[in-house]
Amino acid sequence: MKFFRLISVLEGLSLITLLFIAMPLRTYADMPLAVTYVGWVHGILFMVYGAASVMASHLSGWPVWKWLLVLFLGVVPFGFLYVDYLIRRETTPTGNAETA
């Protein structure tokens, strides 16, 4: 799950970088290579994210709807924050003295 959590955060940050840095640079600063390079990195990370989500759902026993939600949140800006929350909630033991 640590690997999936890392990939989720990296993929989410690459999406944010693509949408809010590279695309404005292409439009307003006439720098089309920013989208090219960030887009490649984001595309590769998204494919790894998709494969890792299948593995994580299989290992954790998620129902199909939860896997589809996690996969959908991979294309939503800032969706990776909710995925990170879901993973942390699932992996954190309950009944901890620190949380009470």
Side-chain angles (χ1 to χ4, degrees):
M1 272 308 213
K2 289 181 181 181
F3 175 73
F4 178 62
R5 189 172 171 204
L6 174 68
I7 291 299
S8 172
V9 170
L10 290 176
E11 191 278 329
L13 291 176
S14 73
L15 177 62
I16 298 300
T17 304
L18 180 65
L19 294 177
F20 296 112
I21 295 174
M23 291 182 79
L25 281 175
R26 179 190 67 186
T27 304
Y28 300 115
D30 195 28
M31 296 175 63
L33 285 179
V35 171
T36 303
Y37 294 132
V38 176
W40 267 93
V41 170
H42 169 68
I44 291 169
L45 283 172
F46 185 74
M47 288 188 293
V48 173
Y49 175 81
S53 72
V54 170
M55 291 188 308
S57 69
H58 179 70
L59 293 174
S60 298
W62 291 347
V64 174
W65 66 266
K66 188 171 183 178
W67 172 72
L68 289 173
L69 175 67
V70 166
L71 194 63
F72 172 71
L73 289 172
V75 297
V76 175
F78 300 104
F80 72 97
L81 295 174
Y82 188 68
V83 172
D84 189 52
Y85 166 75
L86 288 175
I87 294 170
R88 279 188 292 126
R89 190 177 71 182
E90 186 174 295
T91 57
T92 303
T94 57
N96 221 351
E98 298 174 358
T99 59

